[in-house]
Every structure is written in structure tokens, then in C-alpha cells.
Amino acid sequence: MAKNYCLSFFLIFSLSCICPALFAQSDISLKILNTSKSPIPFASVKLVEVVDSSYVLQSLSDSSGQVFFQNVRTGRYQLEVSAINFQPVYKGISVQEGPNEFTIIAENADNKLNTVVVTATRPLMRQEDDKTIVDPENLAASSTNAFEILEQTPGLFVDQEGNIYLNSTRPALIYINGREQRMSAADVATMLKNLPPNAIASIEILRTPSSRYDASGSGGIVNVVLKKGVRIGLTGSVTLGMNQGRYGNQFLGLNLNNNNGRATTYLNLQYGRRNTYDQLATNREFGLDSLLSQEAFTRYASENFYIGYGVNLPLGTKWEFSYDGRLSYGKQDNRSSNRSFILLKGNSQPFFSNLTDVHNNISNVNINQGVNFKMKIDSAGSEWTTDASVSFSPNKTSQIFSVGDGQIGNRLKVLAVQSNYLKKLPGQVTFETGLKTTVVRFNNRTDYFRNQNGNRVKDNLRTGAYNFNENIHSAYVQASKNLRGIIVKMGTRLENTNMQGNQLLPGDTSFNINRTDLFPYVYLSRNLMKIAGYDLKAYLVYRRTLVRPAYEYLNPSIRFIDPFLFETGNPSLRPQFTNNYEANISVDERPIFAVGVNETKDIFTQVVYPSDSTERVSFRTYDNLGTNKETYFRILGALPPGQKYFAVAGAQYNHNNYKGAYEGDKPLAFSRGSWSVFSYQTYKITPLTQLSLHGFIRFNGQLQFYELSSFGQMNLSINHQFFNRKLIVTLSGSDLFFTNNNNFTLNQGSIKASGYRESDTRRIGLNIRYNFGFRKKEEQNFFNIESPDRGNTQ
């Protein structure tokens, strides 16, 4: 019945969007005048659509200074006007349904502008087709690295392991400059923490990616777009800072950008030392009459070095070449102490206790190199892009614990090559197609030794060797058209998956997965009406996606946690498939409301099962559990940006309903709803001093099958600019009330556990950034939007 209601709503909403659109069309008339109100003939006029920069209109003014464009899409445009002996004009215009008339005044070239320049604050978030664009400028002012910008972005939730969530079930995939980062969440978080905050140009949030993107994005995609030298000359910044919780972090960085008028290059150098802790207390039923109580304290100390570099170079008038490289090296010294007690129920005195100290010494290297070729086919925006990237990530872990030691070595190699073709066709039709191949090679070797009568003896049960190969070949096709005001985009993606795993030790086992799947995509959008002069726009999106098990989920090698718990992968995991439906509304390109459903089958998640050898030992692994239906809605609002105060706030509700089996044959029925409320606010105390306040709170949280108590975090920062805005000093405080900790319960199958977790989240920090170098005169702000003339000529 609920499914029928959702389908009915989807169809009714579609009809309400489509029917009025059949009568929508727009014409533009521009009059180009000088300051004496005389026409300027033969002026070059260019319009670039804000939401789709490939949609470009160009023409020359006639002898009366007029320019006409017919059957134009509604929305926002960047207008550029240039003429001999006149200063160029740059401004934004808003094209509405029906006739649109604009009068443009151009200054003489020899005039000096001494008028007051009115600037408009760009929105923190705006909707462009099927993605949300975040402008990080305000967020960067109160952040010390790129990862902190993501933590502050409204609507993103970052857990204690560094996973970034757009919904409550699967973490989002992280892209940098359009390339997926196939690394663990901890490695991606480390890399982002080594990027300076002012290195980010924008953040693209794709909750339901189009067919152009891999189908493995059921949790959505967060694409971090890095800046490349966009100003003439050499510019850069030096950053240093620290923050102190129970333990302290320190960092130092150099960022250089150079633009000689043709080629642009950039270089990022970062060094950081980080110290933090994680404290965990759990109680688990241990047999019929006993209870296992554990208290674990882990200190994480790390040292990281990062180099990022790249060049962007035009090759003639049509070709453009770019190269990006990243190198990082990290050392971690993690020490944990786990005290375990076994108590009889009803008796507070333990009859068994154990103290386990584990020392992990980890070294990791990440090398990532990528090249991109782009060919501009015509002036309408048609293009052909080819991208290739390769990454190599070896790491080694030395583990020492009370009864032995271990050596774990991993080597990950990834090659990705893709080519995309986009063609602008007559009748406002855009056609896209492309091919992609991804090759993954992963090798693991684990050797454990135990202390036996003073001798170091190899532990054959825990020793293992594992190889994993993955080849994914894909092709997609999609097309979009503006049908009298309604934008329709439809496509599909075909993916062929070949996965092979071989466990060489302790036994020779293997698995193979070979399958081909189709993933359709549908997108609809149109302007509905105007409210107080602002465009109200509706979007409908559908896509089928999947999640493939990661190599660490499949690796059957055993990893020691404590005497009562170990970790292992599950080589028999199946991929999970999700159908996502979402409808959302934006006002003036700012997202305000969305509702959606994620229907997932063969869902896999982390579980805790009792060991076959003894009920007193459990193991943590991954398993396919059944189906899940997640229903969600979110609402986002902002105060109109003023000279001093700006605020954005929102809320999201997620409800999950799981059905399946736990531990193979035990019925699973789990249903839970949670609320998340988030806010970001800034206040300019003076033109050079800004106060920022941001935070979130989550009620009845959920992490897989763990039920979490309510938790949240409030952060505050103040920054001041010195020396003609070149020196920026920021004082910050995170988790001021130390509320980002939670109680949790797990009650599935034979596992019944509860506990408490906290981390070193309350911190006071100081960040100093100095910007230097020669810069060209600041560009005029394209986001000063002008509406069509309504009776008055300026």
C-alpha cells in the first residue's frame, strides 16, 4: 500500500510539472547604450547559462544597439558585453518566461570608475540540475583544512571513522576533480586534512548521480573541485596552526598558484602532526549467565607529509591538457589498552579479568597521477574529454600485543581510464555517451606470531595471504532536451563486473564474480511559479545503483582486536542494489525541500557473530542481511544575505525498515527513525572581523544496526584580517559542550550489547594564513543578478 502511495505521488508530481510546461517560452531583447544613452552598434554579446556553462548564446548588436535571442531557456545567465572604445560589462541576468528586456550601459574606455560598486553575496548552496553546489568561501574562513569544510557543510554528516554520509545507510563516494578516490575512509580523511581550505573551488553534492557516473554511488557522491591558478601572476599562501584537546595537533602548509596568461600551475606542500584518542566501554551478554565488560582506550598519533601539484595548458584553440599529481606519506603510532572483565549476572565482582595492550605502528604511501585531455568541438558547447589516472598505495602495519605480534602488508593499485563525448544538437538537445574501464589489484600478506614458552612461534590460524583483482568495464548514453520549459534528461549505464579473490594462506580458497547489469536514470525539472519575484523550481530524479563489496570486506584474513573479538572479511558477499526516487524543490536555485525513498535488496553491513569455536569469542565481519527501505525528507532555509549577518539551517528525517535474517537463520526486523538538525551562521562584527557559529544535533541516531543516543556538536570561530586583508588569524573552538559522544545498543540475533563512545572532539585552535603574490584586479562579481526591465529604462 505504501509503495502505491509513493508511486501515485511520483506520477501526480510529474504531471503537475509537465502540463504547464507545454506553454513556456522565453525571448530576450537587449539594448546596448553608452552613458549618453546613445546606441552602441556591433557590440559583442555573450550569454552563458549559470547551471549549464556549455549552453552559450552569442551575437552582435545591430545599428540601433539591439540584440535579440529567441526560444531561450529560463534561468540565470552570465552576461558579457564588449565593444571597441568601451569598458567590458559583466553582470548576471535572470531570464523569466515570456519576453525579457534589458538595458545595458557601457562606460567609455578612458573613464575612471569612481562609483560605488555593489556586490552580492553568493549563496552558500545552490541547485544546478541534479547536483547541489556548495560555495566554500564562507566555510573556508573558519576552517583549517579541506576536511573541516566538509564537516561544516550543512547536510553532510561525518562519523568518527571519517565516512561522509548524505543519507543514513551508506557513506558517499569521495571524488577529487571528478576522479573517485578508491581508498579507505581514514586515508581519504587524511588526504583532505592535508589540503588547505582555500584550495577548494567548490563542492558538488550528487545524491542521485546521472548515468555519466559509476553505478556504485548509492550513498551519493561528494566531488571536491580544487582551484587551479585563475589569477594572472604568482599567488600563494602560507598556513600554520594548532589545536588542542586532550592531545594537540600541529600543521604547516604552503600553497602556490601561477598563471602566465596561458598555462596555469599549482603546488601544495603540507606537513601535519596529529594526536587524538578514542574511548569505548561495552557490556555484552556472555553466555547464559555471564556478562563481558570491556573498557578500551586508544591513542592515535600520526605524522603526515603531502605534495600536490598540477598544470593546465591549452593546446591550440580547441585542445586543453591538464595534469594532476598527489604524493603523501604517513606514519601512525596507535596504542590501545583494553581491560576485560567477566561477571556473573547479579554479581558485581568479576571472576575473570584481563588486560590487553596493542601497539600498531603503521606506515602508508599514496601516489596518484592523472591526465586529462579536453577538446572543444564547437561554439555551442560540444566537447570530448578523456581522463586517465593511476594510483599506488602500499602500507605496512606492525602489531604488538600481550601474547604475540603480527606483520600486515597491503598493496593497492588502481588504473582508471574514461572518455566522454558531449554534443549539442539542434532543438536544444544535448547528447552524451562515454566508456570507462577500472582495474584494481590488491595484495595482502598477514603473519602472526605468538609467545610460547619464551619462544616466538608462528600462528598458522591467523597467518594469511590474499589477492584480489577487479575489472569493471562500463558504457553509458544519455540525452536531455528542454521541452517548452521542462528539462528532461534520460539515460542508462551498462556495467560489466569481474571480481576474483584468492586466499593463499592458511588454505587455498577462491571466489569469482562475473555479472553485467543495467542502471537506468531519469531526471525532470521545470520552473513552477514565482514567489515574491523568485523562481520556484521542481526536480524529479530516479536511478538504480549498486554497492560492490570493497576488498577489505572480502579479505578473509583474521585481524586480532582483543582476546574476545577478532575481525575477518566475507568472500561470499554479494553486491547490493538500490532504487532511489527523489523529488525536491528549490527557490532561486537554492534547495529548500526534498523527499525520497531508497529501496535496497541484498543489503550488506558490518555485523558481530559468535565464533564457531567458542561462544565466549565473537568476530566482526560483513554479511548480506536482506532488504531495507529508507524514507527521508529534508528542509533547508536561509536568511537573505545582508551586509553583516547570514544564516542557513535545515533538518533531515530518515526512517529505515530492515527485513531479513541475522546469523543466517535468525529473523531480522529492525525499524528506526532519526532526526538531524544543522545550522551555519556568520556575523561580520567589522568589515575585517567575522564570527562563525555552526553545528548539528542528531536525535535517535543510527549506525548500521547500532542504535545511538542523541548527540551533536557546536563549533565557534572568529577571524580577523590584517595588512590589507593578506593576513588572516582564526581562533576556533570545536565541540564546545563536548556533546559529540553517544551511548549505543546492539540487539540482533544472539548478540546483545550496549556501551558508550567518545573521542577527542573538544578542541581549541589557532590558525594563521598569509596570502601573498601579485594578483590582477579582482573580477567583477557575476552573481549580481539583474531582472528584466519592467517599464523603467536605466
Side-chain angles (χ1 to χ4, degrees), residues 590-630:
R590 293 166 172 83
I592 60 169
F593 180 76
V595 60
V597 175
N598 292 320
E599 296 179 334
T600 304
K601 69 175 184 177
D602 283 336
I603 189 168
F604 62 79
T605 188
Q606 192 177 69
V607 294
V608 178
Y609 289 162
S611 172
D612 293 335
S613 58
T614 172
E615 65 176 9
R616 295 185 180 274
V617 177
S618 298
F619 66 96
R620 193 161 57 201
T621 187
Y622 291 83
D623 198 4
N624 296 101
L625 300 179
T627 64
N628 175 50
K629 182 177 181 180
E630 179 188 32

Short mmCIF file of all heavy atoms in Angstrom, two decimals, residues 590-630:
data_model
loop_
_atom_site.label_atom_id
_atom_site.label_comp_id
_atom_site.label_asym_id
_atom_site.label_seq_id
_atom_site.Cartn_x
_atom_site.Cartn_y
_atom_site.Cartn_z
N ARG A 590 18.18 27.83 -4.85
CA ARG A 590 18.58 27.40 -3.52
C ARG A 590 17.67 26.25 -3.08
O ARG A 590 16.46 26.43 -3.00
CB ARG A 590 18.51 28.56 -2.53
CG ARG A 590 19.53 29.66 -2.79
CD ARG A 590 19.19 30.92 -2.02
NE ARG A 590 20.23 31.93 -2.09
CZ ARG A 590 20.37 32.79 -3.10
NH1 ARG A 590 19.53 32.74 -4.12
NH2 ARG A 590 21.34 33.68 -3.09
N PRO A 591 18.23 25.08 -2.78
CA PRO A 591 17.38 23.93 -2.39
C PRO A 591 16.70 24.20 -1.06
O PRO A 591 17.31 24.67 -0.11
CB PRO A 591 18.39 22.79 -2.27
CG PRO A 591 19.72 23.45 -2.03
CD PRO A 591 19.67 24.76 -2.76
N ILE A 592 15.38 23.89 -1.00
CA ILE A 592 14.64 24.14 0.24
C ILE A 592 13.94 22.90 0.77
O ILE A 592 13.72 22.78 1.97
CB ILE A 592 13.62 25.28 0.07
CG1 ILE A 592 12.61 24.93 -1.02
CG2 ILE A 592 14.31 26.60 -0.22
CD1 ILE A 592 11.42 25.88 -1.08
N PHE A 593 13.56 21.95 -0.12
CA PHE A 593 12.81 20.79 0.36
C PHE A 593 13.04 19.61 -0.56
O PHE A 593 13.16 19.76 -1.77
CB PHE A 593 11.30 21.10 0.41
CG PHE A 593 10.46 19.94 0.89
CD1 PHE A 593 10.41 19.62 2.23
CD2 PHE A 593 9.76 19.16 -0.01
CE1 PHE A 593 9.66 18.54 2.68
CE2 PHE A 593 9.00 18.09 0.41
CZ PHE A 593 8.95 17.77 1.77
N ALA A 594 13.12 18.42 0.03
CA ALA A 594 13.28 17.19 -0.75
C ALA A 594 12.64 16.04 0.01
O ALA A 594 12.62 16.01 1.24
CB ALA A 594 14.75 16.90 -1.02
N VAL A 595 12.11 15.08 -0.75
CA VAL A 595 11.57 13.85 -0.17
C VAL A 595 11.98 12.71 -1.09
O VAL A 595 12.02 12.87 -2.31
CB VAL A 595 10.04 13.94 -0.01
CG1 VAL A 595 9.36 14.16 -1.37
CG2 VAL A 595 9.49 12.68 0.65
N GLY A 596 12.33 11.57 -0.50
CA GLY A 596 12.80 10.47 -1.34
C GLY A 596 12.70 9.13 -0.64
O GLY A 596 12.43 9.03 0.56
N VAL A 597 12.91 8.09 -1.45
CA VAL A 597 12.87 6.71 -0.98
C VAL A 597 14.05 5.96 -1.58
O VAL A 597 14.32 6.07 -2.78
CB VAL A 597 11.55 6.01 -1.38
CG1 VAL A 597 11.58 4.54 -0.98
CG2 VAL A 597 10.35 6.70 -0.73
N ASN A 598 14.76 5.19 -0.74
CA ASN A 598 15.80 4.27 -1.19
C ASN A 598 15.35 2.84 -0.87
O ASN A 598 15.14 2.50 0.29
CB ASN A 598 17.13 4.54 -0.48
CG ASN A 598 17.75 5.85 -0.89
OD1 ASN A 598 17.72 6.21 -2.06
ND2 ASN A 598 18.32 6.58 0.07
N GLU A 599 15.18 2.03 -1.90
CA GLU A 599 14.79 0.64 -1.73
C GLU A 599 15.99 -0.24 -2.07
O GLU A 599 16.45 -0.25 -3.22
CB GLU A 599 13.60 0.30 -2.62
CG GLU A 599 12.34 1.06 -2.26
CD GLU A 599 11.17 0.73 -3.18
OE1 GLU A 599 11.42 0.34 -4.34
OE2 GLU A 599 10.01 0.87 -2.72
N THR A 600 16.49 -0.98 -1.08
CA THR A 600 17.72 -1.74 -1.24
C THR A 600 17.47 -3.22 -0.98
O THR A 600 16.77 -3.59 -0.03
CB THR A 600 18.80 -1.24 -0.26
OG1 THR A 600 18.99 0.16 -0.46
CG2 THR A 600 20.11 -1.96 -0.48
N LYS A 601 18.05 -4.07 -1.82
CA LYS A 601 17.99 -5.51 -1.60
C LYS A 601 19.42 -6.06 -1.48
O LYS A 601 20.37 -5.47 -1.97
CB LYS A 601 17.23 -6.22 -2.71
CG LYS A 601 17.95 -6.24 -4.05
CD LYS A 601 17.17 -7.07 -5.06
CE LYS A 601 17.92 -7.18 -6.39
NZ LYS A 601 17.22 -8.04 -7.36
N ASP A 602 19.54 -7.22 -0.81
CA ASP A 602 20.85 -7.83 -0.53
C ASP A 602 21.75 -6.86 0.21
O ASP A 602 22.96 -6.83 -0.02
CB ASP A 602 21.53 -8.30 -1.82
CG ASP A 602 20.95 -9.60 -2.35
OD1 ASP A 602 20.38 -10.36 -1.54
OD2 ASP A 602 21.05 -9.85 -3.55
N ILE A 603 21.16 -6.06 1.11
CA ILE A 603 21.96 -5.07 1.82
C ILE A 603 23.00 -5.78 2.67
O ILE A 603 22.73 -6.79 3.33
CB ILE A 603 21.06 -4.16 2.68
CG1 ILE A 603 21.88 -3.00 3.24
CG2 ILE A 603 20.34 -4.92 3.79
CD1 ILE A 603 21.03 -1.91 3.85
N PHE A 604 24.24 -5.27 2.63
CA PHE A 604 25.27 -5.83 3.49
C PHE A 604 25.79 -4.74 4.42
O PHE A 604 25.83 -3.56 4.06
CB PHE A 604 26.41 -6.48 2.70
CG PHE A 604 27.17 -5.56 1.79
CD1 PHE A 604 28.15 -4.69 2.28
CD2 PHE A 604 26.95 -5.57 0.43
CE1 PHE A 604 28.86 -3.86 1.44
CE2 PHE A 604 27.65 -4.74 -0.43
CZ PHE A 604 28.61 -3.88 0.08
N THR A 605 26.15 -5.15 5.61
CA THR A 605 26.62 -4.23 6.61
C THR A 605 27.51 -4.97 7.60
O THR A 605 27.62 -6.20 7.56
CB THR A 605 25.43 -3.58 7.35
OG1 THR A 605 25.91 -2.54 8.21
CG2 THR A 605 24.68 -4.61 8.17
N GLN A 606 28.14 -4.22 8.48
CA GLN A 606 29.03 -4.84 9.47
C GLN A 606 28.19 -5.49 10.57
O GLN A 606 27.21 -4.91 11.05
CB GLN A 606 29.96 -3.80 10.07
CG GLN A 606 31.09 -4.39 10.89
CD GLN A 606 32.03 -3.33 11.41
OE1 GLN A 606 31.67 -2.53 12.27
NE2 GLN A 606 33.25 -3.31 10.88
N VAL A 607 28.55 -6.71 10.94
CA VAL A 607 27.82 -7.47 11.94
C VAL A 607 28.81 -8.09 12.92
O VAL A 607 30.00 -8.19 12.65
CB VAL A 607 26.96 -8.59 11.30
CG1 VAL A 607 25.84 -8.00 10.46
CG2 VAL A 607 27.83 -9.51 10.45
N VAL A 608 28.30 -8.50 14.07
CA VAL A 608 29.08 -9.22 15.08
C VAL A 608 28.41 -10.56 15.32
O VAL A 608 27.25 -10.61 15.73
CB VAL A 608 29.19 -8.41 16.39
CG1 VAL A 608 29.98 -9.20 17.43
CG2 VAL A 608 29.84 -7.05 16.13
N TYR A 609 29.13 -11.65 15.08
CA TYR A 609 28.61 -13.00 15.24
C TYR A 609 29.45 -13.76 16.28
O TYR A 609 30.65 -13.48 16.44
CB TYR A 609 28.66 -13.78 13.92
CG TYR A 609 27.69 -13.32 12.86
CD1 TYR A 609 27.88 -13.68 11.53
CD2 TYR A 609 26.57 -12.55 13.18
CE1 TYR A 609 26.99 -13.29 10.54
CE2 TYR A 609 25.68 -12.16 12.20
CZ TYR A 609 25.89 -12.52 10.89
OH TYR A 609 25.00 -12.12 9.91
N PRO A 610 28.84 -14.71 16.96
CA PRO A 610 29.64 -15.56 17.86
C PRO A 610 30.52 -16.50 17.05
O PRO A 610 30.16 -16.97 15.97
CB PRO A 610 28.58 -16.33 18.65
CG PRO A 610 27.37 -16.34 17.76
CD PRO A 610 27.40 -15.04 17.01
N SER A 611 31.70 -16.79 17.60
CA SER A 611 32.63 -17.68 16.92
C SER A 611 32.15 -19.13 17.00
O SER A 611 31.50 -19.54 17.97
CB SER A 611 34.02 -17.56 17.55
OG SER A 611 34.89 -18.53 17.03
N ASP A 612 32.47 -19.89 15.95
CA ASP A 612 32.10 -21.30 15.96
C ASP A 612 32.89 -22.09 17.00
O ASP A 612 32.42 -23.11 17.51
CB ASP A 612 32.35 -21.92 14.57
CG ASP A 612 31.43 -21.34 13.52
OD1 ASP A 612 30.34 -20.87 13.90
OD2 ASP A 612 31.80 -21.34 12.33
N SER A 613 34.10 -21.61 17.33
CA SER A 613 34.96 -22.36 18.25
C SER A 613 34.51 -22.23 19.69
O SER A 613 34.55 -23.19 20.46
CB SER A 613 36.41 -21.87 18.12
OG SER A 613 36.49 -20.48 18.40
N THR A 614 34.05 -21.06 20.08
CA THR A 614 33.59 -20.85 21.46
C THR A 614 32.64 -19.67 21.50
O THR A 614 32.82 -18.68 20.79
CB THR A 614 34.77 -20.59 22.42
OG1 THR A 614 34.25 -20.21 23.70
CG2 THR A 614 35.67 -19.49 21.90
N GLU A 615 31.61 -19.78 22.31
CA GLU A 615 30.62 -18.71 22.41
C GLU A 615 31.18 -17.50 23.12
O GLU A 615 30.59 -16.42 23.08
CB GLU A 615 29.38 -19.20 23.13
CG GLU A 615 29.61 -19.56 24.59
CD GLU A 615 28.33 -19.96 25.29
OE1 GLU A 615 27.29 -20.13 24.61
OE2 GLU A 615 28.37 -20.11 26.52
N ARG A 616 32.33 -17.64 23.79
CA ARG A 616 32.92 -16.52 24.50
C ARG A 616 33.73 -15.60 23.58
O ARG A 616 34.18 -14.55 24.01
CB ARG A 616 33.81 -17.02 25.64
CG ARG A 616 33.03 -17.76 26.73
CD ARG A 616 33.91 -18.12 27.90
NE ARG A 616 33.16 -18.82 28.93
CZ ARG A 616 32.47 -18.21 29.90
NH1 ARG A 616 32.43 -16.90 29.93
NH2 ARG A 616 31.81 -18.91 30.79
N VAL A 617 33.96 -16.00 22.37
CA VAL A 617 34.69 -15.19 21.40
C VAL A 617 33.75 -14.84 20.25
O VAL A 617 33.02 -15.70 19.76
CB VAL A 617 35.94 -15.93 20.88
CG1 VAL A 617 36.64 -15.09 19.82
CG2 VAL A 617 36.88 -16.25 22.03
N SER A 618 33.78 -13.57 19.83
CA SER A 618 32.96 -13.13 18.71
C SER A 618 33.86 -12.62 17.59
O SER A 618 35.03 -12.28 17.82
CB SER A 618 31.99 -12.02 19.14
OG SER A 618 31.10 -12.48 20.12
N PHE A 619 33.31 -12.57 16.41
CA PHE A 619 34.07 -11.99 15.31
C PHE A 619 33.22 -10.96 14.59
O PHE A 619 32.00 -11.09 14.49
CB PHE A 619 34.58 -13.07 14.34
CG PHE A 619 33.52 -13.79 13.57
CD1 PHE A 619 33.16 -13.39 12.29
CD2 PHE A 619 32.88 -14.90 14.12
CE1 PHE A 619 32.19 -14.07 11.58
CE2 PHE A 619 31.90 -15.58 13.42
CZ PHE A 619 31.56 -15.17 12.14
N ARG A 620 33.89 -9.92 14.10
CA ARG A 620 33.24 -8.82 13.39
C ARG A 620 33.49 -9.01 11.90
O ARG A 620 34.64 -9.14 11.48
CB ARG A 620 33.80 -7.49 13.88
CG ARG A 620 33.01 -6.27 13.47
CD ARG A 620 33.36 -5.09 14.36
NE ARG A 620 34.79 -4.78 14.35
CZ ARG A 620 35.40 -4.10 15.31
NH1 ARG A 620 34.73 -3.70 16.38
NH2 ARG A 620 36.68 -3.85 15.23
N THR A 621 32.42 -9.00 11.11
CA THR A 621 32.55 -9.24 9.69
C THR A 621 31.45 -8.49 8.95
O THR A 621 30.76 -7.62 9.52
CB THR A 621 32.50 -10.75 9.38
OG1 THR A 621 32.79 -10.97 8.00
CG2 THR A 621 31.14 -11.34 9.73
N TYR A 622 31.24 -8.81 7.66
CA TYR A 622 30.18 -8.22 6.85
C TYR A 622 29.31 -9.34 6.30
O TYR A 622 29.80 -10.42 5.97
CB TYR A 622 30.75 -7.38 5.70
CG TYR A 622 31.43 -6.12 6.16
CD1 TYR A 622 32.75 -6.13 6.60
CD2 TYR A 622 30.74 -4.91 6.18
CE1 TYR A 622 33.37 -4.98 7.03
CE2 TYR A 622 31.35 -3.74 6.61
CZ TYR A 622 32.67 -3.78 7.03
OH TYR A 622 33.28 -2.63 7.46
N ASP A 623 27.99 -9.06 6.18
CA ASP A 623 27.09 -10.10 5.70
C ASP A 623 25.90 -9.46 5.00
O ASP A 623 25.50 -8.33 5.32
CB ASP A 623 26.61 -10.95 6.88
CG ASP A 623 26.04 -12.29 6.43
OD1 ASP A 623 26.11 -12.59 5.23
OD2 ASP A 623 25.53 -13.04 7.29
N ASN A 624 25.35 -10.19 4.01
CA ASN A 624 24.09 -9.79 3.37
C ASN A 624 22.93 -10.16 4.28
O ASN A 624 22.80 -11.31 4.70
CB ASN A 624 23.91 -10.48 2.02
CG ASN A 624 24.97 -10.08 1.02
OD1 ASN A 624 25.93 -10.82 0.78
ND2 ASN A 624 24.81 -8.93 0.42
N LEU A 625 22.06 -9.20 4.59
CA LEU A 625 21.04 -9.42 5.61
C LEU A 625 19.61 -9.42 5.08
O LEU A 625 18.71 -9.87 5.77
CB LEU A 625 21.17 -8.36 6.71
CG LEU A 625 22.50 -8.33 7.44
CD1 LEU A 625 22.51 -7.22 8.47
CD2 LEU A 625 22.78 -9.67 8.10
N GLY A 626 19.37 -8.88 3.88
CA GLY A 626 18.00 -8.84 3.38
C GLY A 626 17.71 -7.55 2.67
O GLY A 626 18.49 -7.10 1.83
N THR A 627 16.59 -6.91 3.01
CA THR A 627 16.16 -5.69 2.33
C THR A 627 16.04 -4.54 3.33
O THR A 627 15.89 -4.75 4.54
CB THR A 627 14.79 -5.89 1.65
OG1 THR A 627 13.80 -6.16 2.65
CG2 THR A 627 14.84 -7.05 0.67
N ASN A 628 16.08 -3.34 2.77
CA ASN A 628 15.89 -2.15 3.59
C ASN A 628 15.17 -1.10 2.76
O ASN A 628 15.46 -0.91 1.57
CB ASN A 628 17.22 -1.58 4.07
CG ASN A 628 17.03 -0.26 4.83
OD1 ASN A 628 16.22 -0.18 5.74
ND2 ASN A 628 17.76 0.76 4.43
N LYS A 629 14.21 -0.43 3.38
CA LYS A 629 13.53 0.70 2.76
C LYS A 629 13.77 1.93 3.61
O LYS A 629 13.35 2.00 4.76
CB LYS A 629 12.03 0.43 2.62
CG LYS A 629 11.28 1.57 1.93
CD LYS A 629 9.81 1.23 1.74
CE LYS A 629 9.09 2.38 1.04
NZ LYS A 629 7.66 2.08 0.84
N GLU A 630 14.47 2.89 3.02
CA GLU A 630 14.75 4.15 3.72
C GLU A 630 13.89 5.25 3.11
O GLU A 630 13.93 5.49 1.90
CB GLU A 630 16.23 4.52 3.61
CG GLU A 630 16.55 5.84 4.31
CD GLU A 630 17.96 6.33 4.03
OE1 GLU A 630 18.48 6.07 2.93
OE2 GLU A 630 18.55 6.96 4.93
#
